[in-house]
Amino acid sequence: MKALVFHGPGKKSWDDVPDPTILHPTDVIVKMDATTICGTDLHILKGDVPAVGSGRVLGHEGVGTITEIGSAVTTLAVGDQVILSCISACGKCDFCKHGVHSHCLGEEGASGIGWIFGHLIDGTQAEYVRVPYAETSVYKLPSGVTPEQGVVLSDILPTGHEIGVRYGSVKPGDVVAVVGAGPVGLATIATSGLYGPSRVIAVDVDANRVEQAKGFGATDGVVSSDADWKDQVLAMTDGLGVDVAIEAVGIPQTFQMCLDVVRPAGHVANVGVHGAPVEFALQDLWISNINVSMGLVNTDTLGVLLKLVAQRRIDPDLFISHRFALGDIIEAYDVFGRAAETKALKVVLQA
């Protein structure tokens, strides 16, 4: 089959690789119908995720059709179209039982790490993929939800919702600032609206993305290259800062921006994937009573979000800016990697 293969920092190619096979009774083989590229894939290509070795098939999102099932699989069948969660969960370990699937103790990939697709095992940017722990790691695609929409549910919607909104403890009446209006930031904005904040402020260096964010539920926007960006944000509060500041980029500067605008006793939720150390001035911050959270998505809310998408409470089509054939994935990476120029949000690759 064909697959997008990582060959070390800055190197990738669309290669011929062996077809995946059933390795464990709980596996299924899925023919990919649609997949996408994540900001995390760009971090991998920059060398920010050293656990990803040369030869790895990238990708951790997608929708596909089951072509083969392992002997222990009873709730799925050949022909089922399924959403692949970006997190693989054995469903039996202590972490899985507590909903912390991101730290699944199953032996697949590495015990204690639930994100394995495109990381510790071959991923979804391919014609076929082996899915471990299939019964607890995929969701059947209901009628009325398209494969493209399902792709958005693989990662960015649960990530924004869980790590941004829920970890940030967004509640009715809050003023929320989301720093970074890329796909995950926009997913955070879209799902924050479920909790009734009074204002959601999109902050980004790209004026186009700030404007786009208003279509996802942002009430206000601030371009962070403005010299007075902080004053603009504070002016939308009582002057004391926002209740919740959500970092959705993954660089030291944007994390500091969140610390700069959060109010005493507020929440800072870090969603971005960081590849460099971040200074945390605890000697100054301890007295502020702020809560700081971070983490890897568990996708334990994917099923709930799927229901909301099916009922049109959330519109995942808004996230899709470009469409490519799967074989054009190198071009798709180029477009996605130059998002400021191309205005790319999510690029969907269709098999």
Side-chain angles (χ1 to χ4, degrees):
M1 68 170 185
K2 288 284 191 179
L4 194 284
V5 181
F6 174 70
H7 294 289
K11 300 176 183 177
K12 63 184 182 301
S13 56
W14 182 239
D15 294 346
D16 290 307
V17 301
D19 291 345
T21 59
I22 297 285
L23 298 182
H24 304 291
T26 52
D27 292 349
V28 301
I29 303 297
V30 169
K31 181 183 183 300
M32 296 305 298
D33 297 322
T35 187
T36 186
I37 303 167
C38 180
T40 304
D41 297 318
L42 300 184
H43 279 284
I44 291 170
L45 285 165
K46 288 195 298 182
D48 290 346
V49 189
V52 182
S54 180
R56 176 68 64 226
V57 175
L58 295 185
H60 52 266
E61 304 161 271
V63 171
T65 302
I66 295 174
T67 59
E68 187 179 354
I69 62 172
S71 60
V73 176
T74 61
T75 60
L76 300 167
V78 171
D80 285 345
Q81 196 169 39
V82 293
I83 301 170
L84 279 61
S85 168
C86 64
I87 299 296
S88 301
C90 75
K92 297 179 179 180
C93 72
D94 188 64
F95 281 125
C96 283
K97 288 177 180 178
H98 286 86
V100 189
H101 306 139
S102 57
H103 292 284
C104 172
L105 294 170
E107 295 181 354
E108 190 74 45
S111 181
I113 301 177
W115 168 42
I116 57 177
F117 278 139
H119 178 207
L120 303 176
I121 70 170
D122 287 338
T124 61
Q125 292 171 7
E127 293 177 326
Y128 291 85
V129 63
R130 178 181 69 91
V131 181
Y133 312 129
E135 291 186 320
T136 46
S137 302
V138 305
Y139 292 77
K140 292 182 182 179
L141 193 73
S143 60
V145 178
T146 69
E148 285 190 350
Q149 294 169 340
V151 166
V152 179
L153 284 155
S154 283
D155 182 356
I156 64 167
L157 274 179
T159 294
H161 178 232
E162 294 171 25
I163 308 304
V165 179
R166 291 210 310 175
Y167 277 26
S169 299
V170 175
K171 61 185 183 300
D174 277 352
V175 177
V176 178
V178 179
V179 179
V184 172
L186 295 173
T188 304
I189 290 167
T191 54
S192 68
L194 300 170
Y195 294 78
S198 61
R199 301 182 90 146
V200 179
I201 308 165
V203 183
D204 198 284
V205 69
D206 184 345
N208 172 65
R209 283 195 164 180
V210 169
E211 190 60 33
Q212 285 182 317
K214 295 176 182 177
F216 291 81
T219 58
D220 303 275
V222 172
V223 178
S224 57
S225 58
D226 290 348
D228 65 341
W229 74 268
K230 179 180 174 181
D231 293 335
Q232 291 182 48
V233 173
L234 295 180
M236 298 178 200
T237 74
D238 51 13
L240 297 178
V242 300
D243 299 287
V244 185
I246 300 172
E247 198 283 339
V249 181
I251 58 174
Q253 296 93 322
T254 47
F255 184 75
Q256 184 60 50
M257 289 168 67
C258 289
L259 296 175
D260 288 343
V261 298
V262 70
R263 68 190 295 121
H267 293 257
V268 172
N270 181 88
V271 185
V273 176
H274 289 264
V278 175
E279 182 175 342
F280 189 78
L282 192 58
Q283 74 278 6
D284 300 323
L285 293 167
W286 72 268
I287 203 169
S288 297
N289 293 65
I290 60 171
N291 293 280
V292 179
S293 62
M294 64 201 72
L296 175 62
V297 65
N298 292 302
T299 65
D300 59 308
T301 66
L302 195 159
V304 171
L305 295 171
L306 178 56
K307 291 179 182 178
L308 293 171
V309 167
Q311 294 300 316
R312 303 296 186 264
R313 292 284 306 280
I314 299 173
D315 184 2
D317 291 328
L318 294 173
F319 292 90
I320 301 167
S321 61
H322 294 74
R323 293 169 174 83
F324 295 89
L326 182 58
D328 295 328
I329 193 167
I330 298 297
E331 180 185 355
Y333 260 96
D334 177 63
V335 169
F336 186 66
R338 295 185 296 110
E341 301 170 49
T342 63
K343 297 180 171 51
L345 295 177
K346 289 300 276 185
V347 299
V348 170
L349 297 139
Q350 300 165 322

